[in-house]
Amino acid sequence: MNLPVVRELAEKEQVGWRNPKKLSWEESKGILPVTASEVEDAKARLARFAPFIQKCFPETKESGGVIESELVPIEKMKELLNQEFGGTIEGTLLLKKDSHLAVAGSVKARGGIYEVLKHTEDLALEAGLITVEDDYSKLASDECRKYFSQYTIQVGSTGNLGLSIGIASAAVGYRVVVHMSADARQWKKDLLRSHGVTVIEYESDYSEAVKQGRKESDADPKSYFVDDENSKNLFLGYAVAAGRLKDQLTEQGICIDEEHPLFVYIPCGVGGAPGGVTYGAKEIWGDNVHVFFVEPVEAPCMILGMETGLHHEISVQEIGLTGQTHADGLAVGRPSGFVGKVMDPILSGEFTVHDKWLYEYMRALIKSENIFIEPSSCAAFEGPLKLNQYEETRGYLQEHGLLEKLPNAVHIAWATGGRLVPEEIRREYQNTYLEE
């Protein structure tokens, strides 16, 4: 395969990649298999479920059953990245703290919980347990829990999606089975089991866990499989985040327009969460938002799938990589074919990062802002740090007339997980030092 980027990936080099298939938003929106009305429908469904969420998860009471995270300025982190890591970040740097989302403590609280609620609504409407005009908190009754206990929800996961599906499904009353790959952290398995979730462990990677989970679920007519590789519902749950982000930026007096571009950097595993957020952001800001994913050097499945055009038909193992990384949430060898094809015309580009830097950025964030997020999440910082340093991504900035606008730019590092990490594991992370 004679593609320069693929050769660099195979050699485990850190790369900055610009997406050669990217189109303007005007050209893109008519050819995508997702619509703004579908995102609005997802938003309305979450609003219907707010009383239920509030009842099942008292920590959401203050937000009225809305599961949302803070958007915080991290100026000290920006200064530290510039001074100690050789960065040249201009403009404003913000952290989107999906790492601290209620219920599941990760970005997966968006798509994962949404898909569970969508399935619950479908079953409840079909059984006549509710109408769409009802107060959905009635679904938390013992009678409804007993009804849902005859059904099973299954999912394959490296960790955080399993947590969100497991915790949400158990709250509804379902039997839950999470199929976990070898990369999954033990504390995540233990936490799921404490919620009464069945955890099946695999020696192999994420794709095999998904494959086996799908097979088991398909054999049971009362089982529903949350398919991280192909699910549009997951994608829509994530996409709702962008409208809420817009409100937060407005509240902070931050304007996004042609002269004040928005750059968003999101850690990427199979692609569902970053893909959904990207689509939602493009719907709102169009060509004024530029989204970049960040992947580990051993598991750059989304770049590989998009650059080759093979999407889910190629895995990182086929170019000699292991797919194994300290970034457990990003340890995915084969990308979502659905998401990759949606990203083809709208994603700006990607970066890859050595595991060593995940721990360095994590310590830097604690030192500068006293905020802890898990190492996988810290991949996001590679984006603003290197945006102007790689020939490819610098070329992107030049082509779109963005170089001179960087002093007015807004950069958002999307923190994807961390709140539920036990204290002893946090200490272990803080004492982990790797060679590049």
Side-chain angles (χ1 to χ4, degrees):
M1 195 173 291
N2 193 28
L3 293 167
V5 175
V6 175
R7 285 201 299 275
E8 289 177 291
L9 295 177
E11 288 164 13
K12 304 177 192 178
E13 289 185 26
Q14 293 192 150
V15 303
W17 173 79
R18 61 182 293 188
N19 175 13
K21 296 178 189 169
K22 185 177 179 294
L23 303 173
S24 71
W25 176 241
E26 200 53 45
E27 295 170 297
S28 304
K29 60 185 179 184
I31 59 173
L32 295 173
V34 188
T35 64
S37 62
E38 287 176 305
V39 179
E40 282 302 310
D41 180 54
K43 182 180 170 185
R45 183 166 291 106
L46 286 169
R48 290 197 293 276
F49 268 100
F52 171 83
I53 293 169
Q54 198 172 321
K55 192 165 185 179
C56 289
F57 302 103
E59 66 264 41
T60 66
K61 197 169 183 180
E62 208 173 292
S63 63
V66 175
I67 299 171
E68 195 44 73
S69 69
E70 287 183 290
L71 177 70
V72 298
I74 47 169
E75 188 62 24
K76 291 176 185 170
M77 179 63 169
K78 184 183 102 172
E79 289 171 14
L80 197 150
L81 288 170
N82 285 344
Q83 289 165 9
E84 296 187 18
F85 292 84
T88 54
I89 305 167
E90 298 181 86
T92 303
L93 181 61
L94 302 168
L95 185 71
K96 182 59 175 154
K97 291 175 70 176
D98 274 10
S99 48
H100 290 65
L101 277 171
V103 184
S106 81
V107 67
K108 304 297 186 179
R110 297 185 184 281
I113 290 173
Y114 173 73
E115 178 145 4
V116 170
L117 297 180
K118 167 79 167 65
H119 181 58
T120 300
E121 184 182 59
D122 290 346
L123 288 177
L125 289 171
E126 189 183 335
L129 297 176
I130 52 164
T131 68
V132 288
E133 287 79 30
D134 281 341
D135 177 346
Y136 276 28
S137 65
K138 71 194 295 185
L139 290 173
S141 68
D142 290 342
E143 176 201 353
C144 289
R145 284 184 61 79
K146 188 177 177 187
Y147 177 78
F148 291 121
S149 69
Q150 66 183 305
Y151 293 96
T152 301
I153 289 189
Q154 304 198 47
V155 65
S157 175
T158 58
N160 285 342
L161 181 65
L163 281 181
S164 79
I165 298 293
I167 293 169
S169 299
V172 176
Y174 295 112
R175 178 175 172 266
V176 197
V177 183
V178 178
H179 302 261
M180 285 192 136
S181 62
D183 311 277
R185 301 278 179 175
Q186 188 60 46
W187 70 264
K188 293 181 180 179
K189 299 171 191 173
D190 294 343
L191 182 56
L192 277 169
R193 288 180 173 126
S194 76
H195 282 267
V197 173
T198 300
V199 177
I200 299 175
E201 301 180 48
Y202 295 85
E203 292 297 317
S204 48
D205 73 356
Y206 168 83
S207 295
E208 186 62 24
V210 171
K211 181 181 167 187
Q212 290 302 320
R214 191 186 288 121
K215 185 178 172 185
E216 275 200 30
S217 186
D218 287 349
D220 178 358
K222 287 197 169 181
S223 178
Y224 179 85
F225 186 69
V226 178
D227 193 340
D228 199 12
E229 293 182 335
N230 301 297
S231 172
K232 193 172 188 179
N233 285 325
L234 276 178
F235 187 92
L236 291 169
Y238 297 124
V240 171
R244 296 174 177 178
L245 178 66
K246 181 187 178 189
D247 293 342
Q248 290 179 317
L249 288 167
T250 302
E251 283 164 17
Q252 295 185 28
I254 297 172
C255 166
I256 304 300
D257 58 23
E258 196 175 343
E259 295 305 313
H260 303 81
L262 174 61
F263 293 85
V264 182
Y265 311 94
I266 316 175
C268 178
V270 75
V277 171
T278 301
Y279 174 81
K282 296 301 284 189
E283 273 286 356
I284 291 169
W285 293 290
D287 294 330
N288 296 325
V289 63
H290 309 271
V291 185
F292 293 83
F293 294 169
V294 189
E295 298 183 279
V297 292
E298 284 283 8
C301 67
M302 187 58 74
I303 296 188
L304 181 63
M306 290 181 70
E307 172 69 9
T308 60
L310 293 172
H311 296 293
H312 63 291
E313 292 172 8
I314 189 169
S315 73
V316 301
Q317 286 83 1
E318 290 171 56
I319 61 166
L321 299 175
T322 65
Q324 295 171 0
T325 164
H326 282 242
D328 57 313
L330 313 181
V332 179
R334 190 182 299 274
S336 162
F338 167 67
V339 174
K341 288 166 189 172
V342 177
M343 292 301 101
D344 269 344
I346 64 175
L347 185 68
S348 295
E350 289 209 34
F351 299 90
T352 61
V353 61
H354 282 286
D355 283 0
K356 167 191 169 134
W357 298 108
L358 306 181
Y359 293 103
E360 299 297 340
Y361 298 151
M362 180 197 70
R363 282 186 283 270
L365 185 63
I366 294 169
K367 177 182 171 183
S368 60
E369 305 285 351
N370 198 27
I371 297 172
F372 169 82
I373 61 178
E374 63 185 348
S376 293
S377 298
C378 294
F381 291 116
E382 185 73 4
L385 186 68
K386 300 288 182 66
L387 178 67
N388 204 3
Q389 296 184 16
Y390 285 107
E391 187 181 335
E392 283 258 320
T393 50
R394 188 173 173 80
Y396 175 89
L397 296 175
Q398 286 172 324
E399 185 186 323
H400 291 87
L402 292 165
L403 276 174
E404 60 273 21
K405 296 172 185 174
L406 288 180
N408 302 324
V410 176
H411 302 271
I412 296 177
W414 210 284
T416 47
R419 180 175 68 87
L420 297 182
V421 178
E423 193 55 48
E424 66 273 17
I425 305 297
R426 295 184 187 207
R427 286 196 296 272
E428 180 189 311
Y429 288 160
Q430 288 181 56
N431 291 307
T432 300
Y433 293 83
L434 303 176
E435 294 298 317
E436 190 168 323

